[in-house]
Amino acid sequence: MLERGDEAPAFSLPGADGETHSLDDYAGYDALLVVFTCNHCPYAKAKHSALNAIAAEYDDVAVVGINPNDADDYPDDSFEEMVARVESGEIAYDAYLRDESQDVAAAYGAVCTPDPFLFANRGGAFELAYHGRLDDALNPSDDPSGDPGFEVREAIEDVLAGDPVSRADAPSRGCTIKWRSGNEPDYWDDL
């Protein structure tokens, strides 16, 4: 499991835009918000608009969604469905990537959808600054006590100011990642 200050694990994944995206593609950003998410989970779907707004609001922050779910058992999470959601505008992040092998989700220690990881660009390396929920709306139909995504926005503001994130990490709530049978990472047994 990643802890604050740990470097972001590298990735090279196909995007819904038809391009392959890697961690190095975001080197010009001050911060990187990686969110393990999907198409079918009601918790993840409830946060699509907040993530779209964050992607639109911050020029210095790249918002990258990564879908690791087993599309054989959950066909709504297929790459084709990801493309459809991007093309419709439902998902408008800087990139929406497919983690078919599930190796990237395991390397990050992701457990649910959505599961956000905010990294600060520290001299060319992305270091984990915050791993926690987007806001305090814990159920898909709940409204947050502030603007949607306000908790991660506060963390982003700290990172962009060059300060340590003052907000404590608070676990995200959502659907479990849909691991392929036998592909569950070692940490899965400890949850």
Side-chain angles (χ1 to χ4, degrees):
M1 304 295 272
L2 295 179
E3 296 182 11
R4 286 191 186 195
D6 287 348
E7 287 191 23
F11 58 80
S12 180
L13 298 170
D17 60 359
E19 302 292 325
T20 298
H21 296 258
S22 71
L23 184 63
D24 293 339
D25 293 340
Y26 305 101
Y29 290 88
D30 293 334
L32 172 66
L33 179 60
V34 173
V35 183
F36 291 88
T37 188
C38 68
N39 302 329
H40 90 277
C41 169
Y43 292 90
K45 289 166 63 172
K47 302 302 182 187
H48 287 170
S49 62
L51 290 169
N52 291 342
I54 291 168
E57 181 178 342
Y58 292 98
D59 292 335
D60 296 333
V61 180
V63 177
V64 176
I66 299 178
N67 178 354
N69 280 353
D70 177 4
D72 290 337
D73 285 345
Y74 296 86
D76 281 350
D77 285 333
S78 71
F79 187 74
E80 294 76 20
E81 289 295 325
M82 292 171 58
V83 170
R85 282 162 175 77
V86 168
E87 288 177 349
S88 73
E90 178 184 341
I91 292 177
Y93 317 146
D94 294 290
Y96 191 26
L97 312 179
R98 179 76 181 132
D99 181 15
E100 184 69 31
S101 70
Q102 302 182 316
D103 292 344
V104 176
Y108 277 71
V111 297
C112 65
T113 57
D115 199 357
F117 295 76
L118 177 65
F119 295 90
N121 190 337
R122 302 285 187 238
F126 283 109
E127 295 179 0
L128 186 64
Y130 173 78
H131 174 210
R133 63 191 187 189
L134 294 168
D135 56 44
D136 61 0
L138 298 182
N139 295 300
S141 61
D142 292 350
D143 291 324
S145 63
D147 292 332
F150 78 90
E151 292 186 14
V152 81
R153 276 191 169 95
E154 289 176 11
I156 288 169
E157 292 294 334
D158 285 344
V159 167
L160 295 180
D163 297 329
V165 173
S166 57
R167 177 170 289 284
D169 294 350
S172 188
R173 184 169 176 181
C175 302
T176 60
I177 290 181
K178 307 310 181 199
W179 303 102
R180 285 189 314 282
S181 180
N183 206 39
E184 300 86 357
D186 293 341
Y187 63 82
W188 200 247
D189 294 333
D190 297 331
L191 299 177

